[in-house]
Every structure is written in C-alpha cells, then in structure tokens.
Amino acid sequence: MITFFKQWFGFSDEVELTEEDTMKKFLIVGLGNIGDKYTNTRHNIGFKILDYLAETNDLTFETVKLGDVATLKVKGRTLILLKPSTFMNLSGKAIKYWLEKEKIPLENMLVITDDLNLPFGSLRLKTKGSDGGHNGLKDTQDKLQTSKYNRFRFGISDEFSKGRQIDYVLGEWTDDENTQLKERLKISAELVKSFALAGVNNTMNQFNGK
C-alpha cells in the first residue's frame, strides 16, 4: 500500500524495501585455505573475492570462532562475509555453525568456490548441484545434509598436465591471470551484491557466462 501511494503521488522509490527486507541477512562464504602460502593460489579464489569486497567497502575481518568474519551492509541487507579457518576439507563445519548462529535461512547462503571445469574467469551461479570432486563442497554437503544450496563457481580452467591437478589448484596465478583478475574480482563482487539485492534467479540471468 505504501509503495502504491509513493508511485501515485510521484515520490522517489529507487529502492523498495519492506520492514522485513531491512532485517534480511545473508551468509556469503568464500572457500579457501588459511595461511600465507595459500593466499594467491587458485584454490583460494573464494577468500580473494571476499577480501576484495572488504577492501572496496572499508571493512576489516575479525577472527572469530571457525573463521574470519566481516559484515557488509547493502541497501537494507546485511551480508555476513565468512572465510572459514577450518581448511578447505572441513569447510562445512564453519558454514553450519554460522548459519545456525546467525539464524540465516539456507536460501540466503552463497558459497564461493573455484572450478576446474570452467574457463578461467568465467562465472557460474547455481542453486544446487554435485560437489564435482571439490572437497570444500563435499564437506558442506555432508554437514548440511543437502546439495540444494547456492554456489558461485569461479572458473580457474584445467590447463595442467596429467597428474598435476593438485599442483595446479594449489599453484599461484600467472602474471596474465593476475592482470585479468582485477576486472573479474570487480564483476564477482557485483554478483555477490546482486544475489542479496535482486535474488538468485535474476542474478543468474545477469551474470552467468560473463
């Protein structure tokens, strides 16, 4: 009704948020491994995207139970950015804890991960799926007892020789990749914000394949 009168009398209504919307919280999880030696590795793209969000919004991560956390406010939404400190293989433990602690519904969670099956820098948002052999997703599915949760897959390509997958995934970005990452991180941050503001379906339509 309020929106109707705003529109009828010509009032500005750039962002329409109900009182319930302003209380909405989202858990944005970036997967990765803790420690300096992993900072610039392909497997840590989840951490890197959250670090970019924090840096561009003047946020600081706080070390808390099972991870590092920062809170980003975006147009009435509260985005809790989580970098689990459990190492990749036990990511689900931290995710489950923070979902329950903050009383965030599963549909308001987004897990950011690297993906060997996508070309470098390509973005893919999905609402469900298999773990695809990814240990972080595997543990998340195990702890949550479902594969129906939103995941944002960032392509790292599969340009490695036979038997060198682990070295490739845990290897650092090339100079060329680092150059391209600047733009890719910006678009990834926009995707995360869109997830909270526009919803998963609109975000998939806008960003998948970009």
Side-chain angles (χ1 to χ4, degrees):
M1 183 64 73
I2 293 174
T3 299
F4 170 79
F5 281 112
K6 281 183 177 181
Q7 294 172 340
W8 181 261
F9 289 106
F11 294 140
S12 174
D13 195 22
E14 183 176 338
V15 180
E16 296 181 18
L17 297 174
T18 66
E19 184 174 349
E20 181 181 359
D21 283 332
T22 65
M23 300 300 291
K24 279 192 174 180
K25 289 196 294 187
F26 296 80
L27 182 64
I28 311 298
V29 185
L31 297 188
N33 287 309
I34 59 173
D36 291 342
K37 69 177 182 178
Y38 295 110
T39 300
N40 293 312
T41 61
R42 296 181 178 90
H43 216 27
N44 267 42
I45 187 62
F47 279 15
K48 200 170 189 70
I49 290 171
L50 293 196
D51 285 338
Y52 179 88
L53 272 166
E55 290 166 9
T56 53
N57 289 278
D58 296 320
L59 303 176
T60 302
F61 279 94
E62 177 186 3
T63 299
V64 290
K65 184 172 181 178
L66 300 179
D68 289 352
V69 168
T71 301
L72 174 63
K73 302 282 189 177
V74 183
K75 296 181 179 178
R77 268 66 166 177
T78 298
L79 280 62
I80 297 173
L81 312 180
L82 170 65
K83 297 191 295 182
S85 58
T86 51
F87 284 98
M88 186 70 78
N89 293 3
L90 297 175
S91 299
K93 181 179 180 180
I95 291 171
K96 186 173 187 292
Y97 172 80
W98 282 93
L99 270 177
E100 294 175 352
K101 181 181 185 299
E102 296 294 331
K103 298 180 173 60
I104 296 173
L106 190 60
E107 61 266 26
N108 280 14
M109 180 182 78
L110 178 64
V111 177
I112 307 171
T113 179
D114 58 302
D115 196 305
L116 286 166
N117 298 311
L118 296 174
F120 168 77
S122 60
L123 315 179
R124 186 74 55 79
L125 178 60
K126 295 184 67 178
T127 58
K128 60 182 179 179
S130 69
D131 57 59
H134 192 287
N135 289 330
L137 296 181
K138 188 178 298 183
D139 191 63
T140 299
Q141 180 174 324
D142 178 64
K143 295 298 189 298
L144 299 181
Q145 288 296 292
T146 182
S147 61
K148 295 180 179 179
Y149 62 87
N150 304 306
R151 72 280 308 272
F152 164 21
R153 297 156 53 200
F154 186 101
I156 63 172
S157 82
D158 59 355
E159 296 182 8
F160 54 87
S161 54
K162 186 175 181 180
R164 304 290 293 179
Q165 177 174 323
I166 294 177
D167 292 335
Y168 178 78
V169 169
L170 295 179
E172 297 194 351
W173 304 100
T174 65
D175 290 341
D176 183 50
E177 287 171 336
N178 270 317
T179 298
Q180 296 181 63
L181 272 176
K182 295 174 183 177
E183 182 221 9
R184 297 284 89 195
L185 289 173
K186 181 180 179 181
I187 296 175
S188 295
E190 292 171 356
L191 184 156
V192 170
K193 291 180 181 178
S194 175
F195 170 75
L197 293 171
V200 66
N201 290 325
N202 288 331
T203 303
M204 285 193 293
N205 290 336
Q206 182 178 354
F207 288 91
N208 278 359
K210 287 188 73 171

